[in-house]
């Protein structure tokens, strides 16, 4: 997702067809007079990134007299599904946000659709601002595998998954904040007894697969992650970790922790079920944090997934410069501004996880907790990326197969077998 997105903050979902139409040369935006920077991203205006990047646009235009930023908001799924076609056309933007990982940025780099940013990363010091764990998703080798090679993207934030919970609902039913998985399941049992479905979920997008991956991660270690994500060893989807994840997920569906109707819901529906006060728990990414600070009308808090050293997370989605960009120097300047202390500090105080902020400038208590938890995970090598990253097309496979677990149309053994087949088909031959 994660990766993965998949992003809840994409406020406007634009039909894929409209993007394809613009990519067919029906506008003159593919040409350049050096006075316009065409920028695409999918962060909603109330998200930390949306707030910070809006300010970055102001800063850019103030420092580049006569140059305007033409911002176009796209949805995560829209860019995810059509980027190869658009970037292979004459209408590619100058700069865009894109998902990181082998199946997305890695694939586009392998296809020659992204600009090599290695020289700029060194010259502008981006390489020194990013920690090794965050930098992993910026580098791709000749096969499009992350972790080494050339720079094809720059994240100016980081992200990880955590448990959001409605303190008011927990208090209403006399439930304490869980500190162990046993206490979490006991809490969910109590909600079910009171006819409350505990977990916000979206089976038609990334949330459901991330629940299952987290369950598997709780029984995994770094070598397991490296085998799955980096092909450093064979991945067996019928091993103890994957089996536990699939069987526990199916059991949670049976117990009513997830609504069966959630099979048809996307990530936005999952988020709204939490912000509306309907679902007491949502396990998802830090990318929701800024929006929840704005939208939640109840007392809420967060905690890391209990009894697990690993969780989903990485550097954030990437700024990439399409090979067909007409204004690459302007794109590099904009990336540089988003990496500045001013924008990084704003991102941090708006509920994001900055990669190059001044720690003393983060004054919001909730934001400090969010950032401190990420730093602890990063320091302890606890970031395990996202389940859809390893092979092209795996996101759609995970969505459709996990939906079957929710509806009961497939069992864990069949689910794991289908994942194995799709993974083996797309992964490099060992």
């Amino acid at each position: 997702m994660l990766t993965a997105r998949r992003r809840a903050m994409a406020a406007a979902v634009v039909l894929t067809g409209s993007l394809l139409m613009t990519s067919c040369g029906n506008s003159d935006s593919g040409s350049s007079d050096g006075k316009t920077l065409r920028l695409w991203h999918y962060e909603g205006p109330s998200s930390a990134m949306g707030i910070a990047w809006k300010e970055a646009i102001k800063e850019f235009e103030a420092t580049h007299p006569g140059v305007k930023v033409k911002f176009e908001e796209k949805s995560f799924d829209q860019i995810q599904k059509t980027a190869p076609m658009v970037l292979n056309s004459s209408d590619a933007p100058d700069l865009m946000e894109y998902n990181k990982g082998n199946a997305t940025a890695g694939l586009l780099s392998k296809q020659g659709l992204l600009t090599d940013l290695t020289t700029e990363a060194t010259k502008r010091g981006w390489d020194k601002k990013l920690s090794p764990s965050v930098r992993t998703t910026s580098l791709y080798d000749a096969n499009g595998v992350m972790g080494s090679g050339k720079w094809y993207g720059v994240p100016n934030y980081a992200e990880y998954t955590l448990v959001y919970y409605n303190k008011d609902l927990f208090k209403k039913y006399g439930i304490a904040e869980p500190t162990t998985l046993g206490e979490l399941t006991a809490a969910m049992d109590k909600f079910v007894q009171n006819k409350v479905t505990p977990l916000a979920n979206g089976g038609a997008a990334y949330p459901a697969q991330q629940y299952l991956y987290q369950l598997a991660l709780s029984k995994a270690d770094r070598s397991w992650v490296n085998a799955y994500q980096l092909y450093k060893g064979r991945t067996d989807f019928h091993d103890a970790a994957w089996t536990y994840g699939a069987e526990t997920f199916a059991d949670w569906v049976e117990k009513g922790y997830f609504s069966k109707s959630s099979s048809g819901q996307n990530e936005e529906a999952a988020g709204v079920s939490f912000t509306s006060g309907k679902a007491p728990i949502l396990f998802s990414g830090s990318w929701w944090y800024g929006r929840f600070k704005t939208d939640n009308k109840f007392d809420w808090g967060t905690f890391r997934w209990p009894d697990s050293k690993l969780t989903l997370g990485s550097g954030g989605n990437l700024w990439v410069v399409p090979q067909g960009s007409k204004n690459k120097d302007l794109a590099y300047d904009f990336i540089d501004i988003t990496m500045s202390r001013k924008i990084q500090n704003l991102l941090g105080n708006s509920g994001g996880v900055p990669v190059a902020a001044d720690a003393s400038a983060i004054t919001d208590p909730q934001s400090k907790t969010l950032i401190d938890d990420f730093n602890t995970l990063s320091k302890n090598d606890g970031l395990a990326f996202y389940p859809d990253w390893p092979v092209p097309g795996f996101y759609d496979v995970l969505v459709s197969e996990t939906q079957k677990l929710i509806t009961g149309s497939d069992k864990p053994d069949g689910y794991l077998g289908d994942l194995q087949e799709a993974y083996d088909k797309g992964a490099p031959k060992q």
Side-chain angles (χ1 to χ4, degrees):
M1 185 93 39
L2 257 67
T3 181
R5 149 162 315 97
R6 124 173 175 350
R7 231 2 171 262
M9 287 78 65
V13 177
V14 186
L15 292 176
T16 296
S18 66
L19 181 55
L20 295 178
M21 287 177 63
T22 61
S23 71
C24 293
N26 291 334
S27 73
D28 60 1
S29 55
S31 60
S32 172
D33 57 4
K35 298 296 184 181
T36 304
L37 174 70
R38 295 181 62 227
L39 168 67
W40 292 2
H41 74 68
Y42 42 76
E43 307 295 345
S46 64
S47 71
M49 285 69 73
I51 292 168
W53 297 349
K54 182 178 180 180
E55 184 63 28
I57 290 174
K58 293 180 181 178
E59 184 83 4
F60 177 88
E61 292 182 342
T63 56
H64 293 72
V67 180
K68 293 294 182 182
V69 176
K70 183 180 179 183
F71 165 58
E72 298 177 45
E73 184 178 0
K74 308 295 180 181
S75 75
F76 175 88
D77 283 340
Q78 181 186 22
I79 291 180
Q80 173 94 349
K81 293 176 180 178
T82 61
M85 182 177 292
V86 173
L87 298 193
N88 207 23
S89 76
S90 62
D91 200 49
D94 298 308
L95 178 65
M96 64 183 280
E97 179 186 15
Y98 195 57
N99 198 15
K100 66 278 185 195
N102 304 339
T104 45
L107 179 62
L108 295 192
S109 70
K110 182 181 178 181
Q111 294 173 337
L113 297 176
L114 301 182
T115 301
D116 177 359
L117 303 176
T118 306
T119 299
E120 294 298 322
T122 304
K123 181 173 72 174
R124 296 173 183 261
W126 302 334
D127 56 340
K128 294 181 174 59
K129 290 184 176 182
L130 299 178
S131 68
S133 62
V134 172
R135 194 186 309 146
T136 298
T137 58
S138 296
L139 305 171
Y140 296 89
D141 65 16
N143 294 315
V145 179
M146 65 183 179
S148 65
K150 298 178 180 179
W151 285 72
Y152 284 102
V154 181
N156 78 314
Y157 69 99
E159 60 184 36
Y160 68 105
T161 50
L162 62 164
V163 180
Y164 296 92
Y165 73 110
N166 184 323
K167 290 185 176 182
D168 288 346
L169 284 178
F170 271 67
K171 184 178 180 180
K172 177 179 178 179
Y173 294 105
I175 303 171
E177 177 186 322
T179 58
T180 66
L181 186 60
E183 291 177 356
L184 177 59
T185 55
M188 293 191 292
D189 285 335
K190 186 79 173 286
F191 281 120
V192 170
Q193 290 166 13
N194 286 279
K195 302 188 185 311
V196 176
T197 301
L199 297 176
N201 187 35
Y206 64 83
Q209 61 186 259
Q210 292 187 358
Y211 277 107
L212 196 149
Y213 187 55
Q214 178 59 67
L215 288 166
L217 288 175
S218 68
K219 303 296 182 182
D221 58 18
R222 177 54 57 184
S223 63
W224 184 94
V225 174
N226 288 344
Y228 177 59
Q229 298 281 358
L230 304 177
Y231 320 124
K232 295 181 178 179
R234 184 177 184 277
T235 290
D236 177 8
F237 282 87
H238 284 92
D239 66 13
W242 277 113
T243 299
Y244 171 80
E247 289 182 347
T248 303
F249 184 92
D251 181 57
W252 284 13
V253 172
E254 190 67 27
K255 289 180 175 178
Y257 297 173
F258 299 112
S259 165
K260 290 200 173 185
S261 65
S262 69
S263 64
Q265 295 176 345
N266 62 13
E267 73 278 14
E268 178 67 14
V272 169
S273 69
F274 182 72
T275 59
S276 67
K278 181 179 179 181
I281 302 168
L282 170 66
F283 172 72
S284 196
S286 54
W287 51 85
W288 289 97
Y289 210 94
R291 176 170 169 180
F292 288 172
K293 283 170 64 70
T294 301
D295 293 358
N296 289 353
K297 306 305 180 186
F298 49 82
D299 190 15
W300 62 283
T302 64
F303 56 89
R304 282 181 284 162
W305 190 271
D307 297 337
S308 181
K309 294 180 180 179
L310 296 169
T311 195
L312 298 79
S314 69
N317 286 321
L318 304 172
W319 287 128
V320 299
V321 179
Q323 188 60 47
S325 168
K326 304 299 191 298
N327 294 289
K328 292 183 180 181
D329 287 338
L330 293 179
Y332 305 151
D333 287 350
F334 187 86
I335 295 173
D336 213 36
I337 288 173
T338 68
M339 296 290 282
S340 69
R341 281 289 175 88
K342 176 182 178 180
I343 301 302
Q344 287 287 294
N345 292 345
L346 175 61
L347 193 154
N349 278 312
S350 300
V353 182
V355 295
D358 177 0
S360 64
I362 308 301
T363 56
D364 179 77
Q366 284 183 313
S367 295
K368 277 185 174 293
T369 299
L370 181 75
I371 295 167
D372 288 346
D373 280 351
F374 174 82
N375 290 337
T376 299
L377 280 167
S378 182
K379 179 181 177 181
N380 294 334
D381 196 26
L383 302 174
F385 311 125
Y386 293 86
D388 58 297
W389 282 11
V391 298
F394 209 49
Y395 177 84
D396 291 334
V397 172
L398 283 164
V399 167
S400 62
E401 296 303 322
T402 307
Q403 282 178 312
K404 293 176 184 176
L405 284 184
I406 299 172
T407 61
S409 60
D410 200 0
K411 301 298 182 185
D413 185 64
Y415 169 84
L416 295 172
D418 290 341
L419 294 192
Q420 187 79 63
E421 181 180 356
Y423 180 90
D424 289 346
K425 183 178 181 181
K429 305 305 178 187
Q430 297 291 326

